[in-house]
Amino acid sequence: MTQAPAPVLVESDEDLRSRGSRWLRALGRYIGPDAGVFERQLPFFLVFGVAMVVILFVPGVVTDRGRVVLAAGVAVAVLVSAWAVPWHRAHESAQMILPLMQLLAIALLRMGTGGNLSMFGSMVFIPIVLLAGRPSRLGALLGVLSVGVIVVVPVLLDPQAPVTGAAMGRSLFVMVVAGTITIIVHEATARLRARNAALAELQSTQLRLNAQLTLDAEALARLAHANDEAREQILSVMDAVTEQAIVATDAEGVIELFNRGAERLFQYPGTDVVGRMNLVKLQVREELEERYREAFDADGPSAAGAEDEDLFAAVAAPAIGGVQVRDWTFRRRDGSTGTMQLSAARRTDVHGSTVGYVIVATDVTAEREASRLKDEFVALVSHELRTPLSSVLGYLELILDGPDPLTEEQREFLLVVERNARRQLRLVSDLLLSAQLDAGTFSIDHRDVDLGDVARATLAEAGPAAEAAGVVLGLHVPDPVHVPGDATRLEQVLANLVSNAVKFTPRGGWVDVRVERAPEGGARVAVSDTGIGIAPDELDGLATRFFRASSATQRAIPGVGLGLSIAKAVVEAHGGELTVTSRVGEGTTFTFTLPGA
């Protein structure tokens, strides 16, 4: 049976580079920058020891015993000096003394063993390598010159050695070889030093980066731990809130968080909805479709047959520009419905993209039902009171203007009844108008209105009350001012403002009404008084229904707090704006503007 030939192993370029790298590292161990001074002398000393063994056991090698002994002494001196002298304290170039001493020892040994014919002349390459490995090129130059001295001088000094061209050529060739080796070794060690320096820099950078990475990892771990603690704390707070439903969703409306308040409101356990249900499933679809059409124009997508994530846009749309609170109808698990006050806030990532929404809902079913019943009651009572009051005023007018004579006392009594009946009728009208505003049945009959005539009629009606209160009324209408509007409603606005001004102005004060064209077009009406004024922190609440300033309650000034809220609603229904400025103890000015035609 023929044996298969052994496979031929061919070294790859990577293997050759690896071997060369190992050789350079081994070389650097004894001649590189990481080698010690003593370690660098060991190769020479070992080779010199081998030479001594050859001399002892091979007869006829020694031609001059004195020079051999002197060479051995120099070699021992090199080793002792390398070990005993603190070379690390001396200048870097001082270490070249030892290779030069080695060359001296080799020269003596060569001259003591045959001179030009000595077998130990090749030892010169050991110190040459040491000199070539120094950072400075001076070492390489000294090595080459020293070889020349060692090789050429014995030939010139030995009287028995003929100076021939062959001998000189051989000596010069040895110098060329020594110079070549010197250049190779010097470049190799220079590269090795550069590589070691780069490696040391990389190691330093790596250590620094590792230290920084460790610090960053610790900081990240602390941040992650703090984030987990904060998340757990937020979840605990959310679960502790039972009066408000807190629901977190993704960008499409799928529920991601469902607190106990939400479980209580919708009557669903969190495990049944989190990650499984869209928020729109908890709302009335018909209302969602209507709000969807409100959020998007008629040319937008149709709400009919829309997917849950599309309808969720009706809930999320107000949150794009901020947080908006609005009433919605919700559906409980048992199918019953209620009213919730819902606010939606958008959640974004670091790039500003929407990642979800936070929904906070409060059950306001009872409050909205109570408000509805109250409004119905106010409207019903106002209507039922208005009819008999109108009848009373009608009969009073017949009596006062009738043919039957009345005594002064009777007429005075009837006028008091008429004033109070008209006051009650105005109050009932305000209540009825307030109910109409809440019900959305309030309307404006736009016609051309002369605001000067409206102001004159108002002051004529307020005249008796102002006279009784000792307040002077003033009217300033520089030019006729016409605007489109409802004369009856605008007269009601002025009547409420003038009535309030009279009530809050002490005796001897004045109330001034000014009607003028606005610089930007339309009209501007200002009602100013010298009354008791309003505290700055109460100005924002003046137009709230049933709100009364502290100055009014402290002085027991009669009123129910409807006049200003109605005036503001009427002015805004005309497209205008009502503002107020006031200083406590100095007076108040109400100003409303109306757009022109």
Side-chain angles (χ1 to χ4, degrees):
M1 183 176 181
T2 303
Q3 186 176 3
V8 179
L9 299 179
V10 180
E11 289 186 320
S12 64
D13 293 342
E14 185 65 29
D15 294 335
L16 293 175
R17 285 194 295 270
S18 178
R19 177 184 293 183
S21 178
R22 287 196 298 271
W23 182 84
L24 285 175
R25 286 197 297 271
L27 181 63
R29 176 70 177 84
Y30 294 99
I31 66 173
D34 295 333
V37 176
F38 181 76
E39 293 172 329
R40 294 174 187 165
Q41 316 312 313
L42 290 178
F44 167 77
F45 193 77
L46 292 176
V47 174
F48 196 90
V50 172
M52 291 297 101
V53 172
V54 171
I55 290 172
L56 291 175
F57 291 98
V58 178
V61 175
V62 178
T63 58
D64 189 338
R65 187 175 297 276
R67 291 180 177 178
V68 171
V69 172
L70 184 58
V74 173
V76 173
V78 170
L79 189 64
V80 172
S81 299
W83 178 75
V85 176
W87 295 100
H88 62 280
R89 297 180 183 176
H91 192 269
E92 178 73 19
S93 60
Q95 297 182 21
M96 289 190 292
I97 296 175
L98 296 177
L100 293 175
M101 291 175 64
Q102 292 178 8
L103 288 170
L104 176 61
I106 294 170
L108 292 172
L109 180 63
R110 186 168 180 269
M111 294 176 65
T113 56
N116 193 33
L117 301 177
S118 176
M119 69 175 68
F120 303 115
S122 60
M123 290 175 60
V124 297
F125 293 110
I126 296 176
I128 285 176
V129 169
L130 289 177
L131 289 170
R134 307 310 304 168
S136 173
R137 293 182 179 178
L138 178 62
L141 179 61
L142 288 176
V144 174
L145 294 176
S146 299
V147 170
V149 172
I150 293 172
V151 173
V152 176
V153 171
V155 175
L156 298 177
L157 297 179
D158 189 356
Q160 297 179 358
V163 181
T164 64
M168 294 303 295
R170 185 169 59 250
S171 300
L172 292 175
F173 184 75
V174 171
M175 290 181 63
V176 171
V177 173
T180 303
I181 293 176
T182 300
I183 293 173
I184 294 174
V185 172
H186 182 76
E187 292 299 324
T189 54
R191 293 180 182 179
L192 181 61
R193 278 191 292 270
R195 180 177 296 182
N196 288 342
L199 181 60
E201 180 67 22
L202 289 175
Q203 289 176 341
S204 175
T205 303
Q206 183 181 14
L207 291 176
R208 186 171 64 254
L209 291 177
N210 287 340
Q212 185 62 42
L213 183 62
T214 302
L215 294 176
D216 292 343
E218 293 175 353
L220 184 61
R222 290 193 299 269
L223 183 61
H225 181 67
N227 188 39
D228 291 340
E229 288 185 346
R231 184 176 183 276
E232 292 298 327
Q233 185 176 9
I234 290 175
L235 292 177
S236 300
V237 171
M238 287 183 176
D239 281 338
V241 177
T242 58
E243 295 301 320
Q244 281 78 33
I246 301 176
V247 182
T249 72
D250 63 10
E252 285 73 34
V254 178
I255 296 173
E256 296 179 341
L257 184 144
F258 205 72
N259 78 328
R260 293 182 182 178
E263 293 179 348
R264 181 170 174 266
L265 177 65
F266 298 105
Q267 299 179 357
Y268 278 94
T271 53
D272 289 356
V273 298
V274 174
R276 301 182 178 183
M277 186 181 295
N278 196 295
L279 181 67
V280 300
K281 296 294 186 184
L282 304 177
Q283 298 176 258
V284 176
R285 187 176 182 86
E286 292 76 15
E287 184 181 61
L288 281 167
E289 292 178 351
E290 181 181 351
R291 299 283 178 88
Y292 187 86
R293 287 189 291 268
E294 292 177 3
F296 301 98
D297 55 30
D299 296 332
S302 174
E307 298 293 335
D308 290 344
E309 55 268 21
D310 294 329
L311 287 178
F312 180 73
V315 182
I320 300 299
V323 179
Q324 182 173 346
V325 180
R326 194 173 185 182
D327 283 359
W328 290 79
T329 304
F330 68 94
R331 191 183 303 278
R332 302 182 183 92
R333 187 174 189 176
D334 59 5
S336 61
T337 59
T339 303
M340 63 179 175
Q341 191 177 69
L342 182 148
S343 64
R346 185 167 62 118
R347 293 187 295 126
T348 59
D349 59 15
V350 294
H351 304 293
S353 301
T354 301
V355 297
Y357 296 88
V358 175
I359 311 297
V360 180
T362 304
D363 188 355
V364 292
T365 305
E367 289 86 341
R368 297 298 181 264
E369 180 64 17
S371 178
R372 186 186 65 82
L373 293 175
K374 181 186 68 175
D375 292 338
E376 289 183 357
F377 174 76
V378 169
L380 178 63
V381 171
S382 299
H383 184 269
E384 294 299 322
L385 288 176
R386 188 171 185 174
T387 301
L389 282 173
S390 298
S391 178
V392 169
L393 287 172
Y395 282 111
L396 282 173
E397 186 176 354
L398 289 175
I399 295 174
L400 290 171
D401 296 337
D404 297 332
L406 297 173
T407 65
E408 289 299 324
E409 185 177 14
Q410 290 173 335
R411 181 173 295 275
E412 182 180 354
F413 289 160
L414 289 175
L415 289 176
V416 172
V417 172
E418 183 185 24
R419 277 200 307 272
N420 284 281
R422 292 191 181 280
R423 180 173 175 273
Q424 294 298 320
L425 183 60
R426 281 195 300 271
L427 177 60
V428 170
S429 298
D430 288 345
L431 289 171
L432 184 58
L433 182 57
S434 177
Q436 291 174 347
L437 291 171
D438 289 336
T441 59
F442 174 73
S443 61
I444 296 293
D445 183 16
H446 286 281
R447 296 185 180 180
D448 183 72
V449 177
D450 186 340
L451 287 179
D453 292 343
V454 172
R456 293 183 190 92
T458 301
L459 292 184
E461 184 178 352
E467 185 179 355
V471 176
V472 178
L473 298 179
L475 176 62
H476 300 274
V477 186
D479 300 301
V481 180
H482 292 261
V483 294
D486 191 321
T488 302
R489 299 300 187 191
L490 292 176
E491 185 176 345
Q492 190 173 11
V493 171
L494 264 178
N496 286 334
L497 296 179
V498 172
S499 175
N500 280 344
V502 170
K503 286 191 297 183
F504 289 95
T505 300
R507 182 174 295 274
W510 52 265
V511 174
D512 183 68
V513 178
R514 178 175 292 273
V515 181
E516 58 188 0
R517 292 189 179 91
E520 61 276 9
R524 181 168 57 196
V525 180
V527 179
S528 304
D529 63 59
T530 57
I532 59 178
I534 304 167
D537 57 344
E538 295 180 342
L539 292 176
D540 292 338
L542 288 178
T544 304
R545 191 171 54 173
F546 300 114
F547 175 85
R548 304 204 69 211
S550 58
S551 55
T553 56
Q554 291 171 0
R555 290 172 172 77
I557 298 175
V560 294
L562 287 176
L564 291 178
S565 64
I566 292 173
K568 183 175 184 294
V570 172
V571 170
E572 290 179 350
H574 281 79
E577 182 183 12
L578 176 66
T579 59
V580 57
T581 58
S582 182
R583 293 178 65 89
V584 177
E586 296 183 11
T588 303
T589 298
F590 283 92
T591 304
F592 65 89
T593 57
L594 299 172

